[in-house]
Amino acid sequence: MSSEQQPNPRLNEDLLFNRAPGGPPRYGSRSDKPVQYLTVADRSGGVIGYVWANDADDAAGWLVRKAGGDEAFNKGGRWARKLHDAKARGLAPTAALAEMIAQSDPANSSHVVPGSLTEAPNADAVRSLADTR
């Protein structure tokens, strides 16, 4: 008997990944159309990220401010969940932003900066903002 182990042919097969139906409803993650966005800050007023939305593309997203580091990333989960919950309830993306404004509380670990609702040419413009500021 040989001391050399024979290769398993199954290890050489291509892996096939098929999208499974179902899963939670989600807004689209891209929009080349004008978007509305909110600035989100921590308790001390430091910007941790941005939430953007566009109804025409049924798209919305949370973008962490890179300069905010791990703390901003961790606090951002709350804002991503708010978007997922809003989509599950059938809210239009900009209605989700309006709800975030209405429910925001500066006493929380993060909140919408009052008066920060702004328009950008597209989602990539907001991504650039999150990457550079």
Side-chain angles (χ1 to χ4, degrees):
M1 188 187 272
S2 170
S3 63
E4 228 176 277
Q5 187 175 10
Q6 296 296 318
N8 183 336
R10 293 193 62 181
L11 296 178
N12 293 326
E13 293 177 8
D14 288 335
L15 295 176
L16 299 176
F17 294 99
N18 297 318
R19 176 170 264 181
R26 305 218 186 238
Y27 294 115
S29 60
R30 303 221 27 96
S31 180
D32 293 328
K33 297 178 178 79
V35 299
Q36 294 180 2
Y37 72 93
L38 299 171
T39 302
V40 177
D42 61 18
R43 219 179 256 137
S44 66
V47 175
I48 64 166
Y50 306 90
V51 184
W52 64 269
N54 173 281
D55 289 344
D57 289 332
D58 193 37
W62 159 256
L63 297 168
V64 68
R65 181 174 171 249
K66 302 282 190 256
D70 293 340
E71 187 173 344
F73 179 83
N74 292 335
K75 289 179 180 177
R78 174 175 177 235
W79 299 94
R81 279 189 306 279
K82 285 179 177 283
L83 285 174
H84 298 316
D85 292 346
K87 177 63 175 174
R89 290 183 285 120
L91 288 181
T94 57
L97 293 185
E99 184 176 85
M100 289 178 192
I101 292 169
Q103 295 176 353
S104 187
D105 182 357
N108 288 333
S109 63
S110 60
H111 63 278
V112 172
V113 173
S116 69
L117 183 63
T118 308
E119 190 168 299
N122 54 45
D124 286 338
V126 184
R127 278 186 188 84
S128 294
L129 186 63
D131 288 343
T132 59
R133 287 186 160 178

